[in-house]
């Protein structure tokens, strides 16, 4: 009874606090009672999925009056004074108060809501029932959920942290440094144990309970359901494992604290996957069918949720230099298994990793990694570029090495639209420019969706009426045209009436959206603002502004 009364008192405190916050003042969000225990306060925090679906005061002073959607500071999952200070800088200087409010909500969303577990040094396994390898789970560890699903995607978590990498200059923010280093360490453990899987349960040392999907998937290689949430093999997941560490190395002026025996084991595991997934469907010498090590079948009435031909997917040719990906970054099945955007990202990240390894004195391994990068890059230019009767030479979305190709783009990253962001080509590359024209027109891309309220690239994952704001943000980041960028900013802002970026919106009515809480999309918006701060600060801060804000 005493505990129940205390919880009711805490809830009452929250209600009083909420009623008092009519304009943003951090002081008003402090507990009314000096002796309030923050841990007990946290127990009474609302579920953020429900919280994000409703507007909360104070509202921005712009025409849209966008709500303040950050949880109360005692309900946030990670505190970063550096991130909060950066938000205040942008709020003070951005001309559009609605755009500033979007940044205020979106930039910290991953920190505020998705850091389910972080430790600077993992406790010894003797404290837990689960056993693991002697060198596993050492050092900082971080478990990051994607938002409204209690699991960590390798791709999503890397993108969720991308905007915070900018705060790591010269190790000035030690908390953020350990958070991202912990994420790298945790991803390494996931890759080592289940390299063909895309989404993972809370780590055993966290003591958090897993969430079981129950889709009845039949997958080979087998995986442990208490460790893996979903096991769709996506090449970009492994590329993002490399990308997280490569970004960390770049933004810390060369830190190799992540270069542990476990991370190197994760890298070797990744290379083993590349070897197996570069094999063709038929033996090039004998013509005999050779079963792929990875197969996936799910009982479903949605074709994109499973692989055909008994879980093996369509045949792929030999000698392409490309790597198979069974699923796309959208978690939808590929049609032709050589997915060009994912191969491009893998090629670039391998090249960056090779440079780090070379500098660290691991020359033999660096050479092996570099050879893989060069092989994949050559395969893309040989097999991934096709001639379109209207647009000329363009990148295909998927190919099979037999001459078949899929011409389209999907909103999820990596994408063809995002090839310059991944570092594969520049925006001035003629093949990319042709491809960009193709995929940003409905006559060239079946998933470029237009309506009276919104337009952008969507994909089969949601359907034929919902475009993804993420694609419009990538369009802005790959443009040098100020007017195009302004239109993209306006479109995203007008489709974000709850003050957060949604997964997708109905192009005819933006009030019809999927997922009020989707941390990956919020992170991409934050990256867009930071990108414009660097490239085109006048679009954020007004004409004549030639320099952006200093981030560290």
């Amino acid at each position: 009874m005493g505990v129940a009364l205390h919880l009711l008192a805490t809830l009452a405190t929250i209600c009083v606090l909420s009623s008092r916050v009519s304009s943003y003042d951090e002081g008003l969000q402090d507990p009314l009672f000096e002796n309030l225990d923050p841990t007990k306060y946290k127990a009474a925090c609302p579920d953020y999925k429900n919280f994000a679906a409703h507007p909360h005061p104070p509202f921005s002073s712009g025409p849209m009056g966008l709500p303040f959607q950050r949880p109360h500071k005692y309900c946030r999952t990670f505190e970063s004074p550096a991130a909060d200070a950066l938000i205040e800088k942008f709020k003070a200087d951005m001309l559009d108060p609605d755009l500033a409010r979007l940044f205020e909500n979106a930039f910290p969303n991953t920190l505020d809501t998705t850091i389910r577990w972080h430790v600077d040094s993992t406790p010894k396994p003797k404290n837990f029932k689960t056993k693991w390898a002697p060198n596993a789970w050492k050092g900082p560890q971080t478990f990051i959920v994607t938002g409204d699903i209690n699991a960590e995607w390798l791709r999503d978590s890397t993108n969720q942290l991308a905007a915070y990498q900018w705060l790591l200059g010269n190790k000035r923010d030690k908390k953020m440094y350990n958070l991202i280093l912990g994420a790298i360490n945790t991803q390494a453990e996931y890759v080592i144990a289940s390299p063909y899987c895309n989404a993972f349960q809370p780590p055993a040392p966290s003591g958090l309970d897993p969430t079981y999907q129950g889709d009845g998937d039949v997958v080979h290689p087998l995986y442990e359901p208490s460790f893996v949430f979903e096991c769709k093999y996506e090449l970009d997941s492994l590329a993002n494992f490399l990308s997280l560490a490569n970004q960390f190395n770049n933004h810390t002026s060369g830190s190799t604290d992540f270069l542990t025996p476990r991370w190197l084991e994760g890298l070797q595991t990744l290379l083993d996957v590349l070897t197996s997934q570069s094999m063709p469907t038929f033996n090039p010498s004998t013509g005999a069918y050779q079963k792929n090590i990875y197969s996936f079948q799910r009982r479903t009435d949605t074709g994109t949720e499973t692989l055909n031909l008994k879980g093996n997917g369509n045949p792929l040719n030999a000698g392409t230099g490309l790597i198979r990906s069974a699923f796309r970054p959208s978690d939808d099945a590929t049609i032709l298994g050589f997915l060009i955007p994912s191969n491009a990202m893998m090629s670039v990240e391998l090249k960056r990793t090779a440079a780090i390894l070379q500098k660290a004195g691991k020359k033999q391994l660096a050479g092996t990694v570099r050879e893989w990068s060069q092989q994949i890059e050559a395969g893309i230019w040989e097999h991934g570029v096709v001639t379109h009767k209207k647009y000329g030479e363009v990148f295909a979305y998927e190919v099979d090495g037999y001459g078949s190709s899929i011409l389209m783009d999907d909103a999820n990253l990596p994408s063809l639209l995002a090839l310059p962001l991944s570092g594969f080509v520049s925006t001035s590359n003629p093949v990319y420019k042709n491809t960009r024209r193709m995929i940003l027109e409905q006559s060239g891309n079946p998933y470029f969706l237009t309506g009276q309220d919104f337009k952008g690239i969507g994909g089969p994952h949601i359907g034929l009426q919902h475009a993804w704001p993420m694609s419009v943000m990538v369009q802005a980041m790959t443009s040098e045209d100020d007017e195009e960028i302004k239109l993209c900013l306006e479109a995203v802002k007008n489709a974000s009436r709850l003050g957060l970026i949604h997964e997708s919106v109905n192009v005819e009515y933006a009030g019809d959206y999927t997922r009020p809480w989707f941390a990956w999309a919020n992170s991409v918006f934050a990256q867009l603002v930071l990108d414009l701060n660097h490239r085109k600060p006048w679009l954020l801060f007004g004409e004549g502004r030639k320099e952006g804000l200093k981030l560290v």
Side-chain angles (χ1 to χ4, degrees), residues 233 276-284 287-290 292 294 307-309 312-327 334-339 343 383 398-406:
Y233 161 58
S276 69
Q277 296 309 304
S278 62
M279 293 177 59
T281 305
F282 302 101
N283 186 294
Y289 167 69
Q290 47 191 21
N292 196 294
Y294 177 82
L307 294 177
N308 65 349
L309 295 173
N312 292 293
N314 290 318
L316 299 173
N317 207 355
T320 64
L322 298 171
I323 311 299
R324 177 205 191 203
S325 185
F327 289 87
T334 54
I335 300 171
L336 305 178
F338 293 140
L339 180 58
N343 272 270
H383 299 279
E398 294 172 357
V399 298
D400 62 1
Y402 288 104
S404 298
S405 60
I406 303 291

Side-chain angles (χ1 to χ4, degrees), residues 1 13 46 52 144 180 240 250 278 306 336 361 384 393 405 443 468 541:
M1 179 66 74
T13 301
I144 304 169
I180 298 178
N240 274 289
N250 179 50
S278 62
T306 191
L336 305 178
E393 285 194 322
S405 60
S443 62
W468 295 50
F541 310 119

Side-chain angles (χ1 to χ4, degrees), residues 95-129:
L95 287 183
D96 185 335
D98 290 324
L99 209 60
R101 173 54 54 83
L102 262 185
F103 181 75
E104 182 181 11
N105 290 336
F107 176 70
N109 190 248
T110 285
L111 301 178
D112 285 353
T113 67
T114 70
I115 312 300
R116 285 288 182 267
W117 178 64
H118 169 71
V119 290
D120 288 340
S121 182
T122 316
K124 294 180 180 179
K126 68 180 182 180
N127 298 327
F128 302 95
K129 296 178 181 179

Side-chain angles (χ1 to χ4, degrees), residues 212-413:
Y212 296 103
Q213 271 229 102
D215 284 321
D217 300 343
V218 178
V219 184
H220 188 274
L222 295 174
Y223 62 87
E224 170 51 54
S226 65
F227 184 80
V228 170
F229 178 80
E230 184 176 63
C231 198
K232 291 178 174 177
Y233 161 58
E234 300 163 357
L235 182 60
D236 77 280
S237 291
L238 296 176
N240 274 289
F241 162 63
L242 297 181
S243 179
L244 183 60
N246 290 338
Q247 291 179 56
F248 180 81
N249 175 266
N250 179 50
H251 286 284
T252 55
S253 302
S255 172
T256 54
D257 286 352
F258 68 89
L259 213 58
T260 64
R262 295 298 282 178
W263 191 87
L264 290 171
E265 186 175 344
L267 173 60
Q268 186 57 60
T269 305
L270 179 153
L271 296 178
D272 293 341
V273 172
L274 298 188
T275 299
S276 69
Q277 296 309 304
S278 62
M279 293 177 59
T281 305
F282 302 101
N283 186 294
S285 299
T286 67
Y289 167 69
Q290 47 191 21
K291 184 175 173 62
N292 196 294
I293 190 174
Y294 177 82
S295 61
F296 181 101
Q297 286 183 288
R298 172 175 292 177
R299 287 188 175 275
T300 177
D301 58 4
T302 303
T304 54
E305 285 296 311
T306 191
L307 294 177
N308 65 349
L309 295 173
K310 297 183 178 179
N312 292 293
N314 290 318
L316 299 173
N317 207 355
T320 64
L322 298 171
I323 311 299
R324 177 205 191 203
S325 185
F327 289 87
R328 299 170 176 174
S330 58
D331 297 339
D332 295 329
T334 54
I335 300 171
L336 305 178
F338 293 140
L339 180 58
I340 297 303
S342 295
N343 272 270
M345 182 181 183
M346 178 59 78
S347 173
V348 171
E349 297 303 341
L350 287 168
K351 183 178 180 180
R352 291 170 175 164
T353 298
I356 294 171
L357 293 170
Q358 184 77 25
K359 194 172 182 179
K362 300 182 182 299
K363 296 181 180 180
Q364 184 174 352
L365 181 57
T368 300
V369 172
R370 190 178 300 108
E371 286 174 7
W372 272 111
S373 171
Q374 293 167 347
Q375 172 190 307
I376 297 169
E377 181 181 7
I380 292 170
W381 288 109
E382 182 178 354
H383 299 279
V385 177
V386 300
T387 301
H388 191 286
K389 64 180 182 181
K390 177 180 177 181
Y391 302 100
E393 285 194 322
V394 297
F395 289 107
Y397 189 66
E398 294 172 357
V399 298
D400 62 1
Y402 288 104
S404 298
S405 60
I406 303 291
L407 297 183
M408 57 165 281
D409 201 19
D410 190 285
N412 285 259
L413 304 175

Side-chain angles (χ1 to χ4, degrees), residues 422-436:
S422 70
F424 187 74
V425 292
S426 69
T427 54
S428 62
N429 179 276
V431 179
Y432 174 74
K433 289 171 73 174
N434 292 343
T435 307
R436 194 175 193 275

